[in-house]
Amino acid sequence: TAFHTDLMPLIYAIPMGDTVNGMQISRYDDIWLGYFAEKVMHAVSGTVAYGTPISTHDRNVHNLYSELEHEAIGVRLNEIVINMMSEVVLENVSYATCYLELIQKSRDIIEQNIPYQYEAYFKEMLDRMEVWTLACEKSGVISLSNE
């Protein structure tokens, strides 16, 4: 994966391991990162490109039943994320400010439409995304002030 430093806020990998409805969520960090980043990229007329891998990823043996158990809550939450991204309309012109707009508009959707049992998880996820973006600004990687 390669990206320009202007995209740094969009490259926030959602922490996994939280428990939602008694089930531990895992394996959706890069998927949701991609949904959020692509939404912002399209909003500011950026380009997302996929190509042939430059390395080989040899997988270990998997227990599909065990993986299904670990991914079950993620499947449900993934549906919510996809629906949320289809509702969000972005208007900002820079990657960073557009990402912050995505966070705020997602918060609005959560408060209105997300089932209660998932609300706390998504609120915390969005709070972490905002902290990451502000940390990117504080470190000097991006600027939010003149955009």
Side-chain angles (χ1 to χ4, degrees):
T1 302
F3 56 90
H4 191 274
T5 55
D6 290 348
L7 302 176
M8 187 61 99
L10 282 60
I11 310 303
Y12 177 69
I14 309 301
M16 295 284 110
D18 291 342
T19 300
V20 180
N21 275 5
M23 300 174 76
Q24 189 177 43
I25 183 169
S26 65
R27 302 176 60 123
Y28 282 85
D29 49 344
D30 57 337
I31 295 168
W32 293 349
L33 176 158
Y35 288 158
F36 300 143
E38 192 165 12
K39 180 74 175 187
V40 170
M41 296 289 291
H42 287 298
V44 298
S45 300
T47 300
V48 177
Y50 301 93
T52 304
I54 59 172
S55 64
T56 301
H57 182 115
D58 291 326
R59 302 287 308 244
N60 56 338
V61 177
H62 291 267
N63 179 324
L64 297 179
Y65 293 112
S66 173
E67 288 184 11
L68 178 60
E69 288 176 6
H70 289 293
E71 293 186 22
I73 190 65
V75 170
R76 175 66 185 118
L77 297 176
N78 196 50
E79 179 182 347
I80 292 170
V81 170
I82 291 168
N83 290 337
M84 189 167 42
M85 290 303 97
S86 70
E87 290 182 40
V88 170
V89 176
L90 301 172
E91 300 168 1
N92 277 288
V93 295
S94 78
Y95 298 119
T97 57
C98 202
Y99 191 66
L100 288 174
E101 181 185 15
L102 177 132
I103 293 166
Q104 185 54 53
K105 289 186 174 181
S106 295
R107 283 185 179 127
D108 295 342
I109 291 168
I110 287 167
E111 290 177 10
Q112 298 168 10
N113 301 325
I114 301 299
Y116 175 77
Q117 68 267 31
Y118 307 125
E119 187 176 344
Y121 174 78
F122 281 112
K123 283 182 176 181
E124 186 172 344
M125 178 187 75
L126 294 166
D127 287 347
R128 292 172 177 174
M129 291 165 63
E130 182 176 22
V131 167
W132 169 255
T133 306
L134 298 176
C136 289
E137 179 185 35
K138 191 168 188 169
S139 69
V141 173
I142 61 160
S143 173
L144 295 169
S145 60
N146 294 320
E147 299 185 10

